[in-house]
């Protein structure tokens, strides 16, 4: 499903214009990105948690040259689904 399809379905269900729904969806995405980037977690009850985590530094290997290289630690976004959501996906998968 694309963002446009999501917006269209919500607009149809709620009797709103697609432009109004698009504005709300984009605001939600901006807030989630801004808060996760700042190191905060975003809890959406019944859906899941968006957060950032530190991926530790590690030693990698360049397979073409056979030499080791250092991969630095960095922060990455992460999503943890709530158990009800996870069970729903597992049941229908």
């Amino acid at each position: 499903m694309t963002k446009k399809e999501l917006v269209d379905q919500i607009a149809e269900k709620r009797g709103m214009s697609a432009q109004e729904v698009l504005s709300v969806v984009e605001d939600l995405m901006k807030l989630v990105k801004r808060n996760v980037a700042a190191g905060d977690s975003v809890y959406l009850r019944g859906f899941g948690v968006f957060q950032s985590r530190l991926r530790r530094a590690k030693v990698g290997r360049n397979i073409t040259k056979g030499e080791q290289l250092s991969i630095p630690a960095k922060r990455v976004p992460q999503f943890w689904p709530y158990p009800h959501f996870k069970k729903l996906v597992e049941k229908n998968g």
Side-chain angles (χ1 to χ4, degrees):
M1 173 179 281
T2 65
K3 181 167 53 169
K4 181 178 180 347
E5 292 169 338
L6 176 70
V7 166
D8 290 343
Q9 286 185 21
I10 294 172
E12 184 179 325
K13 182 177 180 177
R14 295 291 178 187
M16 300 169 65
S17 75
Q19 192 60 38
E20 290 173 318
V21 175
L22 177 62
S23 177
V24 171
V25 169
E26 287 182 345
D27 286 345
L28 172 69
M29 290 169 44
K30 285 177 191 174
L31 287 170
V32 169
K33 287 190 271 186
R34 184 181 318 143
N35 283 286
V36 171
D40 297 329
S41 296
V42 177
Y43 298 90
L44 300 175
R45 186 174 301 275
F47 186 69
V49 180
F50 294 92
Q51 61 188 20
S52 67
R53 72 173 182 89
L54 183 63
R55 183 179 291 165
R56 62 184 171 86
K58 60 185 178 181
V59 176
R61 181 172 293 281
N62 180 338
I63 58 171
T64 59
K65 294 182 180 179
E67 57 191 29
Q68 289 186 343
L69 53 117
S70 177
I71 301 171
K74 65 178 180 178
R75 289 211 147 296
V76 294
Q78 184 173 36
F79 174 73
W80 290 95
Y82 271 28
H84 175 74
F85 178 37
K86 190 174 180 179
K87 285 179 186 175
L88 182 67
V89 171
E90 288 171 354
K91 182 177 115 180
N92 291 325

